[in-house]
Every structure is written in C-alpha cells, then in structure tokens.
C-alpha cells in the first residue's frame, strides 16, 4: 500500500481545507487566479484587484519558477513574495505560491504564505514533501505529469505523515502522445481520486491545455466532473507575459470563466 492516511478508508468524510477563511472542499467551488509569474508590483496589484472584483477567492503567482530552460525568467524570488504580500494586504485574497526548495520554507513562513504550492516537477521531491509535512499551512500538491494516481497519493501521504493533513490535490494534466495540447487533463482522475481519498481536488486547465482558447471549456468540465475548484493563469497582456502567455486568460476571459463556472456549480447544487 502506498498510502493510508490520505485514503477514504482512513477518513470517510470530505476534508475541508481552510485557507484564511476560504474553504476548499466544501460546497463552494473555489477560483484561484493570477499571473504565472509575479513580474512587478504594478502588474500583480492590478491583476489581484481585477480578479478579486470578478470573483476570485485566492491570488496565485510564482516567485520561484521551475523553468525548463535555465536561461528563461526564473522569477523574482524573495522580491516576488514581498509583492504577493502587498497584493494580499490590498485585496484580502490569500496567496498561493510555489516552493521549489526546502531551504526556502523559512522565507515562505516569514511572509506567511497562505498556501505552499508543490509543482508538478517536484511532486516526487520527497525531501521537500517531508519538510512540508511539518509546516502548519495548506499544501497544494500538483500531480506530476508522468505520475500515476497511486504515486500522486503516495506523495500526499509523505506530507500527511509529517502531521500536515491540509492538502489540496491539483490535477494539471499528464503527458501523452498528443501534441495539440501542452498536456492532457485527465477528467476521470477527478472523480476517481475523490473516491480514493477524502482530500479536496482542484484542476488546473491552464497548464493542462497550454492554450487560452481551451481553458474555459476544460475548467467547466472539471467542475462538472466534481473538482472543488480551479487554478487559472490570468495576465493583463498575455503577449508580453514573462512565462506561460499562450495559456493565460485575459481579464475579459476571466470574467467569462467566472460567469460560466457559477452556472455549472449551481447546476450541481454548489456555488462560487
Ligand atoms: C505553475 O503553476 O506555474 C507551474 C509551473 O505549474 P506545474 O508545476 O503544474 O507545471
Ligand atoms: Mn505557469
């Protein structure tokens, strides 16, 4: 058995993870939005205020970026965390940001980051997972893009074993033979993982598709399949984004997304 503490057998009731007053895993469908990378104070504040006004529940932005090429923008680091804190102060939105290295955990604690995101590439970084097990903050655990469901739940088990049960799983697409999309979002994984585990499950249609035109329909499908929320990338000017521009929604797209998700949620007896 690769996991026990995170299994539905261990705890039959759905876990509701509280993120600064925002409940993930309850009847509310949560929307986490923001730029792929924190690029500047102005950019982040403006996006944060706009998505908040349109209905986002949390702000997400990367300060430490796991990039395929070491020559690509690596993120603003600590400066990015400071910017996120300012955006939280101005909007009241909890902040979600990726931690890549266990050595950065004290810095994340210093800025009181609300949700520690573990990226797909780090899903099996067991040193990081063990350290996050000792952190008293929710962990958003992305599925590795070549990880099986059991490997993903095994990774969650590492966090839980350290004492931290506040885990939010995120299906962000797996690698298949298909080339039209960046990855392939596994819709069936959403209800399946919710059967196997009591942890909340959200979907990331931005990284899964890599294409702005597919983000809204795949987000709708994810909620229809039982996801407890979505994580989407939003940019004021995607053509100019320092990372993941092609998959970033414009503010106008984001407005449409929220409108659609409200209707899907209501059809299922949930709300946004
Ligand atoms: C991200 O969230 O910006 C990111 C790099 O995602 P993933 O780890 O899913 O590739
Ligand atoms: Mn991204």
């Amino acid at each position: 058995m690769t996991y026990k503490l995170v299994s539905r057998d261990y705890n039959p009731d759905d876990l509701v993870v509280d993120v600064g007053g925002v409940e993930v895993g309850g009847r509310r469908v949560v929307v986490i939005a923001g730029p792929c990378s924190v690029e500047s104070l102005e950019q982040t504040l403006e996006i944060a205020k706009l998505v908040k006004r349109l209905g986002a529940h949390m702000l997400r932005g990367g300060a430490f970026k796991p990039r395929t090429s070491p020559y690509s923008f690596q993120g603003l680091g600590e400066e990015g965390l400071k910017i996120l804190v300012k955006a939280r102060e101005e909007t009241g939105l909890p902040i979600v940001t990726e931690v890549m290295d266990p050595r950065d955990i004290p810095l994340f604690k210093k800025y009181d980051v609300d949700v520690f995101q573990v990226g797909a590439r780090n899903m099996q970084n067991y040193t990081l997972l063990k350290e996050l097990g000792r952190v008293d903050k929710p962990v958003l655990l992305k599925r590795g893009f070549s990880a099986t469901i059991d490997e993903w739940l095994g990774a969650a088990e590492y966090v839980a074993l350290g004492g931290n049960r506040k885990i939010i799983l995120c299906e962000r697409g797996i690698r298949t033979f298909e080339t039209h999309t960046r990855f392939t979002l596994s819709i069936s994984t959403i209800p399946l993982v919710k059967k196997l585990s009591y942890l909340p499950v959200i979907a990331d249609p931005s990284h899964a598709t890599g294409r702005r035109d597919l983000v809204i329909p795949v987000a709708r499908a994810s909620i229809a399949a039982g996801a407890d929320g979505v994580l989407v990338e939003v940019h004021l000017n995607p053509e100019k984004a320092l990372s993941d521009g092609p998959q970033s929604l414009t503010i106008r797209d984001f407005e449409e997304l929220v409108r659609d998700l409200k209707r899907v949620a209501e059809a299922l007896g949930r709300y946004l």
Side-chain angles (χ1 to χ4, degrees), residues 239-260:
E239 284 70 43
K240 294 268 167 61
L242 295 183
S243 58
D244 288 347
Q247 68 196 33
S248 297
L249 298 178
T250 63
I251 294 296
R252 198 171 283 189
D253 297 327
F254 182 72
E255 192 171 7
E256 186 183 329
L257 170 83
V258 171
R259 196 187 329 120
D260 283 6

Side-chain angles (χ1 to χ4, degrees), residues 39-106:
E39 298 174 2
S40 70
L41 177 63
E42 297 67 39
Q43 171 239 20
T44 306
L45 281 183
E46 199 172 342
I47 296 177
K49 286 179 190 161
L50 287 166
V51 298
K52 155 98 187 189
R53 197 168 73 210
L54 294 172
H57 306 104
M58 292 184 220
L59 173 69
R60 189 214 85 117
F64 295 87
K65 296 303 302 177
R67 304 306 300 282
T68 301
S69 166
Y71 304 112
S72 301
F73 178 60
Q74 301 287 304
L76 297 179
E78 182 170 4
E79 187 54 34
L81 297 183
K82 289 183 185 167
I83 291 171
L84 288 168
V85 168
K86 283 228 173 64
R88 175 175 58 195
E89 282 166 8
E90 295 240 349
T91 60
L93 291 174
I95 52 177
V96 183
T97 193
E98 177 166 352
V99 59
M100 292 204 296
D101 189 322
R103 292 170 296 186
D104 293 332
I105 291 176

Side-chain angles (χ1 to χ4, degrees), residues 108-172:
F108 278 58
K109 285 186 176 163
K110 178 178 163 195
Y111 292 103
D112 198 29
V113 167
D114 298 287
V115 179
F116 288 51
Q117 177 177 325
V118 176
R121 291 156 189 82
N122 260 321
M123 191 208 82
Q124 285 175 311
N125 181 338
Y126 298 119
T127 310
L128 177 63
L129 297 173
K130 282 182 190 165
E131 285 300 320
L132 291 173
R134 301 212 289 251
V135 168
D136 188 26
K137 286 287 179 185
V139 172
L140 193 158
L141 181 62
K142 290 214 176 183
R143 180 183 187 174
F145 46 70
S146 52
T148 64
I149 289 172
D150 283 351
E151 286 165 343
W152 188 20
L153 291 173
E157 186 81 7
Y158 269 90
V159 179
L161 198 53
N164 185 359
R165 298 281 168 81
K166 296 177 216 158
I167 306 165
I168 301 164
L169 298 169
C170 178
E171 164 63 43
R172 48 79 72 213

